Amino acid sequence: MKYGHYMKDYPESLPSFERALERFLVDKEVGNYGKPKVVARFG
């Protein structure tokens, strides 16, 4: 992993990294990878 040292240097980032990786894998599995996401806008 090219940026693996960040996990060691900043262990508090691990939960966010795991969520991002999980979301990427789910999107890739269901065929949404690379497609724009619907974002709720408030205001």
Side-chain angles (χ1 to χ4, degrees):
M1 175 186 261
K2 187 173 182 177
Y3 301 102
H5 64 279
Y6 287 125
M7 296 298 112
K8 185 176 78 174
D9 295 343
Y10 303 99
E12 65 275 8
S13 67
L14 192 56
S16 295
F17 173 75
E18 288 174 339
R19 281 193 304 276
L21 183 59
E22 180 181 346
R23 187 71 253 163
F24 166 77
L25 293 173
V26 167
D27 282 352
K28 189 173 180 183
E29 183 177 324
V30 299
N32 291 333
Y33 178 66
K35 295 180 182 173
K37 304 290 184 274
V38 176
V39 177
R41 303 236 184 243
F42 300 98

